[in-house]
Every structure is written in structure tokens, then in C-alpha cells.
Amino acid sequence: MISLSFTVFKYTVTIIHAEKLRDSSLYNGPHGVEEKSMLEILVKCNPADLTTFRKKSPDIFSDDECCFEKWDPFHMKFLQIEFLRFQVPRAVIQRTMHPWERDALLVRKSLEEKPPLYNLLIELACTRTSDEFLGARKAFQCLYSESVEEFVAVRVDGFQRRAFGSTCKYGYQGKRIDEAVIKLECHKLGRAIKTNQKNEIENDDEVLRILTTRSKHHLQTIHKCYKEAYDSNLEEILDKAMIVCPSEQEKEALTRVIVTRTDADMKDIAAEFHRKYGAPLIERIEAAALGNYRDFLVALVKRGMAN
């Protein structure tokens, strides 16, 4: 068992830093793996390094028919059992996992929880690019022999089903916008907000269409237009109007966002967090987390902000 544990992490830490591995004594006999050194090395791996790791570790990852390297279920389960005392097995798995497989697992988790984590489902659809989410949909089909759309449709209804169905389509991601359309949709949002009761905004078809089908750049421009036209922040109004699911565990959400967005838009997330809450994200993490878990998340945030 101990040797197998060492084998799992030996591959994790030797791809880029073989010399450092030989000097760092990661294997501590009956105590297994030296966690701090492993995490320090994992933080330094960029997406290309992690792809190399997966491809060069056929005993841990297998090539799937959908062209991504899939975690072997036995090794994943073993990792979770072996390190029950270790606070971040989920973070390590998510960090090394192929993004398509990771997001496919998160989609399934979002609706298998009791109660369902609708916010997680919408988060995935909204924060991934069209290509990234298309990959997750391919991975989901390969892993579970059904489509994401089928899985969601039989478990979700109402606003959540319509919002997810619209958002997960392959949409335009570029920066081209039409100023006339921006102004028109800005005023449509304004009228919907003014005429509807707050708890009915989510059921307005025009609001749903604009928020779920337009590109990020388009929505940012609408936000600016709305603020100029109505002297108020659109995001604050929508935050109060939309139903929020409170069931998601904070530590799990913190781990997921940092691990999955480190190499994507962590700089923007940290800046927005500071603007909204008046404190640096790193300081909040240091106050809320402990030990190697805290150090790993802080190091990932620093890496993301430096990119």
C-alpha cells in the first residue's frame, strides 16, 4: 500500500523536477508522502506540464476514446483513502485531472448532491469557454454513456433547466459587438427590472436570453451601459433578484474555484474580490484555511495573479 502511494505521487512530482525529487526525500517510510514538497512542485506545473504528466503516467491515467487522459478510478479512490488526514486530496486530484474530466465530474456532482447544487451547474456553464464546455460534454458522454443534456433534463426543471440549456450552447466568444444591440438590450433589461417583481425577473424570457446567450464582452458592455443609463449596478439588482442555493460547502467551493481558475482568470477574480469585499483574496484565504491546505491555495492564487 505504501509503495503504491509513493508510485502515485512519484509520477506527480518527477515530470518537471526530477533532480529536486531525488534531493527532497518525498518518501518517508511508514508516513508515506511528504505533502509540502509535493504541493510546492504541483503549484509550479503549468497546464502543458500537467498534460505531459498525464501522458507519461499510463498506470495512473488511461487514454479515453474522447481523446483525454482519464484518472484510473482505483488510484483516485486509493488517493482519497490513503490521505484521509490530508486536507487537500480533492485539490490534488482536481489539479492533476484533465479539465474535461474534472468538469464532467463536477456536472454530475452538482445534481447528485442533496439538495442539488444548481449554482455549481450554472457556474460551470458560465465560466468555461465554448470549447472547454464542449470538451466537458464529450467527457461526460464517455464516462457515463449519456449526454449532459439528458442528465440535466430529467433532474432539473423551471428556470434552472432553461438557464443551463441556453448557457451550455456553443456561443460566440469574441469581442465584436453591435452598439445598437447593446443599447436595445440594456433598455430591455431596464424595463424588465422596473416592471417585474424582484422574484419574477428570473422568469422573464428576454432577461434569460440576454444573460445566457451573449458573450462575456457583450455583457460587460451592457453592464457599463446600464450603469450609465440607470445610475445603478446591474449585478447588484440581479444578485437580489435571483434565487441562490445556500447548500454548497464554502471550503469545497474555494478549492474548486482556485484550482480550476489558476491558469485561466485568477487575476481578474482576485481583483474583483478585492473590489467587492475590500480585502485581498490571499488575506481572506490565510485567515480561513490552515496548514498545507492554506499554503497550497495561496501559492496557486499567487501563481495565477502573476500570469
Side-chain angles (χ1 to χ4, degrees), residues 7-35:
T7 299
V8 172
F9 285 104
K10 178 184 70 174
Y11 281 102
T12 306
V13 298
T14 55
I15 301 304
I16 311 301
H17 307 278
E19 293 297 328
K20 185 173 181 179
L21 172 65
R22 285 195 287 270
D23 297 333
S24 64
S25 299
L26 290 184
Y27 179 55
N28 289 332
H31 302 294
V33 175
E34 205 287 291
E35 298 151 0

Side-chain angles (χ1 to χ4, degrees), residues 172-298:
Y172 174 68
Q173 301 288 317
K175 291 186 176 293
R176 180 185 59 81
I177 58 173
D178 186 320
E179 291 292 344
V181 173
I182 293 290
K183 292 180 180 179
L184 176 63
E185 294 184 343
C186 172
H187 290 301
K188 283 184 177 181
L189 287 174
R191 286 197 302 271
I193 291 169
K194 184 177 180 180
T195 58
N196 287 331
Q197 296 296 322
K198 287 183 178 180
N199 62 355
E200 294 178 355
I201 293 177
E202 66 183 44
N203 294 316
D204 189 290
D205 288 338
E206 279 297 279
V207 172
L208 183 66
R209 177 189 66 79
I210 294 169
L211 296 181
T212 60
T213 64
R214 293 306 190 184
S215 68
K216 178 180 178 180
H217 186 64
H218 186 100
L219 291 174
Q220 287 173 333
T221 310
I222 285 182
H223 180 275
K224 182 179 179 181
C225 177
Y226 188 93
K227 189 171 184 179
E228 292 173 351
Y230 297 96
D231 194 29
S232 61
N233 285 323
L234 181 60
E235 63 187 87
E236 293 177 1
I237 295 172
L238 294 176
D239 278 347
K240 295 175 183 177
M242 300 296 183
I243 296 175
V244 177
C245 174
S247 63
E248 190 170 20
Q249 296 297 315
E250 291 183 0
K251 181 181 289 188
E252 190 171 324
L254 178 67
T255 301
R256 182 184 70 251
V257 171
I258 292 177
V259 170
T260 62
R261 309 311 294 174
T262 294
D263 298 303
D265 50 7
M266 181 53 64
K267 186 181 294 185
D268 294 337
I269 291 172
E272 179 63 17
F273 184 94
H274 198 168
R275 184 193 70 78
K276 192 167 185 177
Y277 298 106
L281 176 58
I282 288 175
E283 286 186 9
R284 289 293 184 91
I285 295 172
E286 290 174 336
L290 299 171
N292 290 334
Y293 174 68
R294 174 198 60 212
D295 296 341
F296 185 48
L297 296 185
V298 167

Side-chain angles (χ1 to χ4, degrees), residues 146 149-156 161:
E146 65 175 326
E149 291 77 8
E150 290 176 285
F151 179 75
V152 171
V154 298
R155 293 169 175 82
V156 179
R161 180 195 288 180

Side-chain angles (χ1 to χ4, degrees), residues 108-124:
R108 194 168 188 89
K109 171 184 173 60
S110 69
L111 297 184
E112 288 185 338
E113 292 287 310
K114 302 296 182 183
L117 304 177
Y118 295 129
N119 279 6
L120 172 54
L121 190 63
I122 298 299
E123 172 193 318
L124 292 168

Side-chain angles (χ1 to χ4, degrees), residues 23-132:
D23 297 333
S24 64
S25 299
L26 290 184
Y27 179 55
N28 289 332
H31 302 294
V33 175
E34 205 287 291
E35 298 151 0
K36 185 176 179 61
S37 296
M38 178 196 68
L39 294 178
E40 288 175 351
I41 297 171
L42 265 181
V43 167
K44 296 178 181 178
C45 294
N46 59 38
D49 299 332
L50 294 171
T51 297
T52 301
F53 155 57
R54 289 190 297 268
K55 289 185 178 297
K56 290 184 178 292
S57 307
D59 56 339
I60 305 175
F61 297 89
S62 58
D63 285 330
D64 191 87
E65 62 186 59
C66 291
C67 301
F68 70 93
E69 307 83 36
K70 181 173 65 176
W71 255 96
D72 179 87
F74 171 77
H75 285 95
M76 191 188 304
K77 187 67 176 177
F78 177 82
L79 180 65
Q80 293 168 335
I81 294 173
E82 177 73 3
F83 292 94
L84 286 176
R85 68 182 182 86
F86 185 28
Q87 293 188 29
V88 285
R90 182 183 295 107
V92 171
I93 291 173
Q94 289 184 349
R95 178 67 177 157
T96 54
M97 185 176 285
H98 194 290
W100 294 2
E101 181 182 16
R102 180 191 64 213
D103 287 348
L105 293 176
L106 288 173
V107 168
R108 194 168 188 89
K109 171 184 173 60
S110 69
L111 297 184
E112 288 185 338
E113 292 287 310
K114 302 296 182 183
L117 304 177
Y118 295 129
N119 279 6
L120 172 54
L121 190 63
I122 298 299
E123 172 193 318
L124 292 168
C126 291
T127 59
R128 276 37 171 183
T129 66
S130 293
D131 285 327
E132 289 169 346

